[in-house]
Amino acid sequence: MSDRSNPGAGKDRAFVNGLARGLRVLASFSPEHNRMSLGDLAKATGLPKSTIARLVHTLVETGYIYVCPDSGRYSLHPKVLTLGYPVMASMDKRLVALPMMQELADYSRGTVSLGIRDGLSMILIERSRDRTVRALPLDIGSRIPMETTSMGHAYFAAAGPVEQDSILEQFKTHDPSRFKEVERTLRGAEKEYADKGYCTAVGIWEDDVNAVGVAVTLSNDVLAAFNCGGPSSRITEDSLPDLGARLADLAQHFQTADWVGQLPPRPYRGVQPT
Amino acid sequence: MSDRSNPGAGKDRAFVNGLARGLRVLASFSPEHNRMSLGDLAKATGLPKSTIARLVHTLVETGYIYVCPDSGRYSLHPKVLTLGYPVMASMDKRLVALPMMQELADYSRGTVSLGIRDGLSMILIERSRDRTVRALPLDIGSRIPMETTSMGHAYFAAAGPVEQDSILEQFKTHDPSRFKEVERTLRGAEKEYADKGYCTAVGIWEDDVNAVGVAVTLSNDVLAAFNCGGPSSRITEDSLPDLGARLADLAQHFQTADWVGQLPPRPYRGVQPT
DNA sequence: GTACGCTATACCGCTATGCGGTACGATTAT
DNA sequence: ATAATCGTACCGCATAGCGGTATAGCGTAC
C-alpha cells in the first residue's frame, strides 16, 4: 500500500505521509484550476476521496483553504502567501533592482523579471512590466522551464560546474529522451553567455516570444537571473543585442550596488497570524 | 495527549494532525528567524523535538525546506512561493492598479500597497514604492494589523455589517481587554470613511508613520484596501487630505477600469514542479 | 582536559490515528 | 426520471506517527 506521496524509497519511519499529501493538495491548485471540488482534488492528486476529504478538512480548519461562498468549491486562501513572505524578505536585495527593472521594462516595452532556480525550473521572485501592457502572464511565484527560457539559460551558464552537473543529471533522470538535446542547448547557452554576456531566446519557449537573460548573485549568495522579453511584435529579434547589453548593464549595476547598510536593521513589522 | 495543532474541539476524526503540525512548522519561520535548528523549531512550535525532526525531514524530502549549506540550519525553500502563485493569479486585477500605484508612490514619495484581510490582519498582495526610497519594509505576503493601520480601517469601513460583526466578534474573543478600544477605533474609522472617503492613520501603527487608506473590490468580489503612507518626514500630516483624495481617486479608477476581456484567456504558462 | 551545551540521529514500544473502503442523502445536470 | 455529481458519515483495521529516551558529533568554555 505504501503509496508515499513523494517517490523515495520503500519505508521511511520518519516520513509523515499526511503532511506530504496535504502539501500535494495545496500544490495541486493552479491558476486555471483554482476552485476545485473534492473529486477534482482526488483526481489531481491521485488520492482516494475520503483521504482528500480529511486533508481538505484539515486545511480548511487551519485556514489555508476556504470554501467559496458561491460555488461551494474549495480554493486557496490568501493566507498561503504568508508562508512565502520570509523567503521574499530574505531576498530583499532584489528591491534595489526594482526601479532598474521598471526602467528597462518601459524602455523595451516588455517585461523584466528576476528568478531563481528550483529543480529544473525557474521561480519568479520579482517582475516589472511596461506600463502600456495589460497582460503580465508570469507573476511572482510562477514557474518557467529552465531549458527553454533565456532566464534559465543565463542561470545555467553562470552556475558553477558542480551545480551544472547536478542540473544535467536531473535532466537525464527526469527526461532521458530529451537529455542530449537539452544538454546541447544548455552548453550552447553557456558559450553564448561567455561570448556576449547574455543569453538570447528567440521563440524557443513560445513561438512569438523573444527574450534575453543575464545572471546575478543575490545578497545571500544565491544565484539568480534576470530576463527581459515579450511578444516578438514588441521585442524584435533585432533589438535583442541592445536589450542584452542593457540587461547586462542592469545586472552589473545591481551586482555592485552598495546594498549592505542601506537598510536599517528593521524588526519584523508584521504581526502574528491571529 | 491529543494536542491538536489548531485549537478546535477535543477529537476530530477527520483532522490530520501531522499536516497541521507541518504547516505550523512552515509558518514558524519569519524574516528574522529564517534559519532555524530543530531545537529552535521545537521551541517556536511547542512540539517535541522528535516530532519536529520527523516533520522537518518530511518537509526537506518534499522540498519546501532545505538545509543551509553553510550553517547547517533549516530554511524555507523558495518553492513555498509557488504555493501562493495561484492566489496571486486569481487576483490579477490588481495588475491594472500597479501603474497607478507607482504613480502615486512617486508623487507622495512614500509607499502604496494593496491588501486583503485574513483574520484580524491584512495581508499585502501588491506594493509600489517611491523610487527614491531604499527601504520597503512590507513586502508581498506580509501581514499588518487591522486595528492600527489605515488599510485595515478602510477595509473595515467598507465591509458589510455581517463581516464587521464577525471581525469584532473575533477581536472580542481574541483580546477582550482591548476590545472596547478597538471597537471604538473601528467604528470611528467607519465614520471617517463615510465622511471623507478615506481613512487616516497618524502615528497609530508606528509613531512616525502616517498613512491613508481606501477600500476597493477585486474582480472576484473580494474586498481589499489600498493604503498610501510613509515616514512622517515625507508624508506629513498636512498632506494626508490631498493623498487621501488621490488614493480615493485611484481606487475609483481602478474599480471602474474595464478589466474583463483585456486579458486574453491565457493558459497556464508555468510548468510542473519537476 | 573535561564538562558542557548544542547539534542531529537512532531506536522502540504503544496506541491513537489516519486510512480507504463503502454507503448515504442532497444537488444539479442530462 | 436517470445519472452524475456534490459532500458527509460510518467503521474496522493496521500501521503510521508519536514522544519518550539514548547516542554520537561538534564547538565552546572553563
Side-chain angles (χ1 to χ4, degrees):
Chain A
M1 196 120 326
S2 76
D3 158 43
R4 277 204 28 182
S5 255
N6 231 24
K11 31 180 52 192
D12 182 355
R13 296 271 292 156
F15 191 83
V16 182
N17 222 338
L19 173 52
R21 290 175 155 189
L23 291 171
R24 241 167 61 182
V25 170
L26 286 180
S28 68
F29 287 87
S30 73
E32 41 195 10
H33 300 118
N34 55 346
R35 299 184 178 191
M36 305 223 268
S37 70
L38 293 185
D40 294 336
L41 289 167
K43 252 171 250 158
T45 58
L47 296 173
K49 219 172 67 173
S50 47
T51 299
I52 292 289
R54 240 173 304 116
L55 296 172
V56 168
H57 170 70
T58 308
L59 291 170
V60 169
E61 285 284 309
T62 51
Y64 291 99
I65 278 184
Y66 72 100
V67 192
C68 267
D70 45 332
S71 60
R73 315 192 93 126
Y74 300 98
S75 189
L76 283 182
H77 192 277
K79 186 178 174 183
V80 298
L81 288 176
T82 63
L83 291 180
Y85 177 54
V87 175
M88 300 283 281
S90 76
M91 312 236 185
D92 50 1
K93 200 194 171 187
R94 85 203 136 80
L95 293 177
V96 75
L98 253 179
M100 315 183 197
M101 291 167 67
Q102 182 66 53
E103 199 179 336
L104 185 56
D106 286 333
Y107 172 81
S108 66
R109 301 179 60 235
T111 300
V112 177
S113 303
L114 177 63
I116 55 180
R117 180 174 81 98
D118 174 41
L120 300 180
S121 42
M122 305 292 293
I123 297 177
L124 299 198
I125 61 173
E126 198 56 80
R127 95 268 108 131
S128 286
R129 56 162 195 174
D130 165 36
R131 294 168 202 275
T132 69
V133 191
R134 277 274 132 99
L136 178 60
L138 281 336
D139 209 331
I140 292 177
S142 64
R143 188 173 225 130
I144 60 176
M146 163 178 270
E147 76 277 17
T148 59
T149 58
S150 62
M151 181 187 286
H153 287 185
Y155 183 95
F156 180 85
V162 290
E163 187 173 0
Q164 287 183 340
D165 289 349
S166 151
I167 292 171
L168 289 176
E169 196 58 38
Q170 282 185 58
F171 267 116
K172 193 185 235 158
T173 60
H174 177 256
D175 189 355
S177 63
R178 283 178 54 226
F179 171 66
K180 296 195 75 172
E181 168 209 346
V182 166
E183 185 182 29
R184 202 167 347 107
T185 306
L186 291 180
R187 289 301 179 197
E190 193 180 358
K191 190 153 200 62
E192 182 187 20
Y193 195 69
D195 288 347
K196 310 194 215 161
Y198 56 88
C199 286
T200 61
V202 180
I204 58 173
W205 179 44
E206 283 291 295
D207 276 349
D208 59 342
V209 169
N210 298 332
V212 291
V214 173
V216 284
T217 304
L218 299 183
S219 44
N220 38 359
D221 286 326
V222 173
L223 190 58
F226 288 105
N227 80 352
C228 171
S232 50
S233 56
R234 288 172 169 242
I235 310 286
T236 66
E237 200 170 338
D238 295 341
S239 67
L240 291 185
D242 174 41
L243 292 181
R246 286 177 187 269
L247 191 62
D249 204 46
L250 188 162
Q252 176 71 14
H253 274 85
F254 171 74
Q255 198 75 269
T256 59
D258 176 24
W259 168 251
V260 180
Q262 295 225 16
L263 271 188
R266 53 182 162 82
Y268 182 27
R269 296 254 31 89
V271 73
Q272 288 310 311
T274 60
Chain B
M1 192 109 335
S2 78
D3 158 42
R4 277 205 27 181
S5 254
N6 231 25
K11 32 181 50 187
D12 181 356
R13 296 273 292 158
F15 191 84
V16 181
N17 223 337
L19 172 53
R21 290 174 156 189
L23 291 171
R24 241 166 63 181
V25 169
L26 286 181
S28 68
F29 287 87
S30 72
E32 42 195 8
H33 300 116
N34 55 347
R35 298 185 178 193
M36 307 223 265
S37 69
L38 291 186
D40 295 335
L41 289 167
K43 251 170 248 156
T45 59
L47 296 174
K49 222 170 66 172
S50 47
T51 298
I52 291 289
R54 240 173 304 117
L55 295 173
V56 169
H57 170 71
T58 308
L59 290 170
V60 170
E61 284 285 309
T62 51
Y64 291 98
I65 280 184
Y66 71 99
V67 193
C68 267
D70 45 332
S71 59
R73 316 196 123 195
Y74 300 97
S75 189
L76 283 182
H77 191 277
K79 185 179 174 183
V80 297
L81 288 178
T82 63
L83 291 181
Y85 177 54
V87 175
M88 300 283 281
S90 77
M91 313 234 183
D92 50 1
K93 198 193 171 187
R94 82 202 139 79
L95 294 178
V96 74
L98 253 180
M100 315 183 196
M101 290 167 66
Q102 183 65 53
E103 199 179 333
L104 186 57
D106 286 334
Y107 172 82
S108 66
R109 300 180 62 233
T111 301
V112 177
S113 302
L114 177 63
I116 55 181
R117 180 174 81 99
D118 174 40
L120 300 178
S121 43
M122 304 293 293
I123 297 176
L124 299 198
I125 61 173
E126 199 54 82
R127 93 272 107 132
S128 285
R129 56 163 196 174
D130 165 36
R131 294 167 200 275
T132 69
V133 190
R134 276 275 132 96
L136 178 61
L138 280 335
D139 210 329
I140 291 177
S142 65
R143 188 174 226 128
I144 60 176
M146 163 178 271
E147 76 279 14
T148 59
T149 57
S150 63
M151 180 188 286
H153 286 185
Y155 182 96
F156 180 85
V162 291
E163 186 173 1
Q164 286 184 341
D165 289 349
S166 151
I167 291 171
L168 290 175
E169 196 58 38
Q170 281 186 58
F171 266 116
K172 192 185 236 160
T173 60
H174 177 256
D175 190 354
S177 64
R178 281 178 56 224
F179 172 66
K180 296 196 73 171
E181 168 210 346
V182 166
E183 184 182 28
R184 202 168 346 106
T185 306
L186 290 181
R187 289 301 179 194
E190 193 180 357
K191 190 154 200 61
E192 183 187 20
Y193 195 69
D195 288 347
K196 309 194 216 163
Y198 57 88
C199 286
T200 61
V202 180
I204 58 174
W205 178 44
E206 284 290 297
D207 276 349
D208 58 341
V209 169
N210 298 331
V212 291
V214 174
V216 283
T217 304
L218 298 183
S219 45
N220 39 359
D221 285 326
V222 173
L223 191 59
F226 288 105
N227 81 351
C228 170
S232 51
S233 56
R234 288 171 169 242
I235 310 286
T236 66
E237 200 171 339
D238 295 340
S239 67
L240 291 186
D242 176 41
L243 293 180
R246 285 176 186 271
L247 192 62
D249 204 47
L250 188 162
Q252 176 71 12
H253 274 84
F254 171 73
Q255 198 75 268
T256 58
D258 176 25
W259 168 251
V260 181
Q262 296 227 15
L263 272 188
R266 52 181 163 83
Y268 183 27
R269 295 254 32 90
V271 73
Q272 288 311 310
T274 61

